Amino acid sequence: MGGHHAASGAAAWVAVTATAPFAFGWHPVSYVGVVTGSVVCAGAALLPDADHHDGTIANSLPPVSHWVCRGVEKISGGHRHGTHSVVGIALMTALAWLLGHWRLHTDRFGTIELGAGLMTILLASYALKALKLVPGRHFAPWTGSLVMAAFVALFAPDEWAWLPLAVGVGCVVHVFGDMLTTNGVPLLWPWTPRPPRRWRRMNGPNDIWRSGGNMALPVLGDAGSVREWILLVPVSAYALLGVVWALLEQMGFDTGAVWASVVAAVTPG
């Protein structure tokens, strides 16, 4: 589900880049970078579903999103095809890498990330629509997306690799999330080998290597299942905690002391 994909993307960005004690901090960025990157990564976690001409994403920023999704659908071969594969992830990450090099250096505002801002217009609209944070279909989505794009363009992380990282992480989280559902994904597209007939007759293995060639680890069952909701509640809470933590750190609050107090309160003895 769209909102769950977006929340997973934001949570993954927090886990990878935040220096908070509850994050991995594999690729640390500034506190502002945690916030801006979480928006971009949340939108990127919906990017593989741009292959559906009438889905949530297609209706997020009309008419531009309609044009983009129709084009992606034709190029990728339809819904849950090219964009839900290793090739799709690589191509979308490469596009972000190219756009990440489009910058404008100014005396007054410093370096303006034009490419990141442009890409954020679409990615922010995806996230805002999926998370139901903006009403309507035209004015509010455009306004929210343009504001977020301007924020990202002016306050993007200093690390040059942040944009392709955010898009790559978001796309990986999306594809992995879809693999956890019943239908799975064509991970090796455009090569989609079908299992032999004997394999298809075995219930357990057939759930992993689907008759149509998709790969799955269907621990969540069908999309939107109760199991999916149970998993995504703590994931969403984690993403929110990471963003709020970064904002408080940026404003100068001593979050470390608060965390130490919480840990002490919940630790036995």
Side-chain angles (χ1 to χ4, degrees):
M1 297 178 68
H4 293 170
H5 280 308
S8 298
W13 182 256
V14 169
V16 170
T17 65
T19 54
F22 49 81
F24 298 118
W26 291 329
H27 186 83
V29 298
S30 65
Y31 299 129
V32 175
V34 172
V35 178
T36 55
S38 65
V39 175
V40 175
C41 199
L46 292 155
L47 196 53
D49 276 346
D51 60 4
H52 195 306
H53 70 276
D54 196 30
T56 300
I57 291 178
N59 295 308
S60 62
L61 204 65
V64 175
S65 55
H66 292 155
W67 304 334
V68 170
C69 289
R70 287 186 183 277
V72 172
E73 183 178 32
K74 289 182 180 179
I75 295 172
S76 65
H79 185 48
R80 279 210 187 190
H81 283 79
T83 59
H84 289 70
S85 67
V86 174
V87 171
I89 293 171
L91 289 176
M92 288 182 278
T93 304
L95 176 61
W97 181 81
L98 289 173
L99 286 174
H101 285 76
W102 185 19
R103 300 182 178 92
L104 176 65
H105 300 284
T106 66
D107 294 332
R108 183 171 184 179
F109 298 106
T111 301
I112 300 176
E113 300 284 346
L114 294 178
L118 179 63
M119 196 166 195
T120 301
I121 294 176
L122 275 177
L123 296 183
S125 72
Y126 296 167
L128 293 174
K129 182 72 173 181
L131 295 170
K132 296 180 173 59
L133 296 178
V134 292
R137 290 170 54 87
H138 296 283
F139 179 76
W142 271 103
T143 302
S145 298
L146 290 173
V147 169
M148 290 305 305
F151 183 75
V152 168
L154 292 173
F155 301 105
D158 294 331
E159 296 79 9
W160 71 270
W162 81 270
L163 182 60
L165 178 66
V167 172
V169 168
C171 291
V172 168
V173 167
H174 180 111
V175 172
F176 181 71
D178 280 352
M179 279 188 66
L180 298 180
T181 61
T182 304
N183 291 330
V185 297
L187 197 61
L188 302 178
W189 182 93
W191 182 47
T192 53
R194 296 172 181 260
R197 185 175 300 175
R198 181 177 297 179
W199 181 280
R200 282 178 271 170
R201 292 173 180 170
M202 297 183 288
N203 290 333
N206 187 50
D207 291 337
I208 298 173
W209 186 6
R210 308 289 294 174
S211 58
N214 282 5
M215 306 301 295
L217 295 170
V219 296
L220 297 181
D222 295 336
S225 67
V226 173
R227 279 175 283 176
E228 181 179 328
W229 279 95
I230 292 174
L231 174 64
L232 267 297
V233 167
V235 168
S236 301
Y238 178 84
L240 181 61
L241 174 62
V243 171
V244 171
W245 182 284
L247 288 172
L248 292 175
E249 287 278 11
Q250 181 64 27
M251 291 186 289
F253 286 90
D254 188 3
T255 51
V258 175
W259 179 262
S261 300
V262 171
V263 171
V266 299
T267 300

